[in-house]
Each structure stands twice: as structure tokens, then as C-alpha cells.
Amino acid sequence: QVQLVESGGGSVQAGGSLRLSCAASGYTYSSYYMGWFRQAPGKEREGVAAIDTRLGTTYYADSVKGRFTMSQDNAKNTLHLQMNSLKPEDTAMYYCAADSVGSGGYWYYVSRYNYWGQGTQVTVSA
């Protein structure tokens, strides 16, 4: 059974940093994509960052470029999202997602991913 478990969320002031982690079990994510998404109240889920786990290529939403960095630790089956210079508009529930079948489409398509974690809350105060 595949499980994705996020951790590392919390409350910080604007300008602060957080590091999210996603531990994957029952799943070898050496194929296809893994991504981070977020969803604020009343808004649609949006792609934050993703990685092509075969090539190591990373993708970022324009809103987080230069502030967020995604990395993977293959030995530990763990994905990380380092978030610096956080802004109040970064406040959301953050989800880890995995594409295990190569569904295709842009990295930020929610429909591309067939496994999702339960999410971890990030709150940034002004």
C-alpha cells in the first residue's frame, strides 16, 4: 500500500523559513514525477513544485521561484521542500503527490498525480 506522509508544516512570520518533508512508503518513486501542491481556503489546489525523478529536473511555480527549493533523497525515499522568504500568501495546506503511471500532462496538473498525502498546514503571518 502506497503512503505519502508530509511533515514540517507550522506557523512562521513573514520572511521566515520552513522545510517540508514527504516520506514515501510502499512505492519506489524512481519513475515519473513527484510534486508539491497547496490549497488555500476557497481556492483551487495549485502546483508549487515538481521533480522528474528519473532526470532530477525540477519545476517551480512562478510565485515561488527563487524562494522554494525541492530536493529528493532516494536512499530514504523522501522528498523535501525548502521554503524561504515566506509570505502570507504562501499560507495553505501543502500536499505531496506522486505520479506512478506516467499520466502525462504538465507537471502542475492535479490529474497527473495518482497518489496524495494528507497534507501539512503552513501558516505565514504578516
Side-chain angles (χ1 to χ4, degrees):
Q1 184 177 356
V2 175
Q3 270 196 318
L4 300 174
V5 180
E6 303 95 336
S7 61
S11 297
V12 295
Q13 290 189 329
S17 298
L18 285 172
R19 187 184 192 221
L20 305 184
S21 297
C22 173
S25 61
Y27 169 60
T28 302
Y29 66 89
S30 59
S31 300
Y32 308 117
Y33 283 61
M34 290 196 75
W36 285 99
F37 286 74
R38 65 187 182 187
Q39 188 166 19
K43 294 189 177 181
E44 293 187 353
R45 191 167 296 190
E46 64 173 357
V48 175
I51 187 167
D52 180 330
T53 60
R54 299 160 297 171
L55 302 177
T57 304
T58 52
Y59 304 90
Y60 297 95
D62 287 343
S63 59
V64 306
K65 278 181 183 176
R67 300 189 297 122
F68 290 12
T69 303
M70 186 173 183
S71 60
Q72 59 178 356
D73 183 337
N74 289 336
K76 297 182 179 180
N77 263 12
T78 303
L79 198 66
H80 300 288
L81 184 68
Q82 178 66 43
M83 306 187 297
N84 298 328
S85 302
L86 283 161
K87 304 175 181 180
E89 50 263 44
D90 294 318
T91 295
M93 184 72 78
Y94 283 70
Y95 297 91
C96 175
D99 163 22
S100 68
V101 296
S103 303
Y106 291 109
W107 67 267
Y108 49 85
Y109 281 5
V110 171
S111 58
R112 183 188 182 104
Y113 300 84
N114 54 320
Y115 291 111
W116 292 84
Q118 293 300 306
T120 186
Q121 178 68 36
V122 171
T123 303
V124 185
S125 58

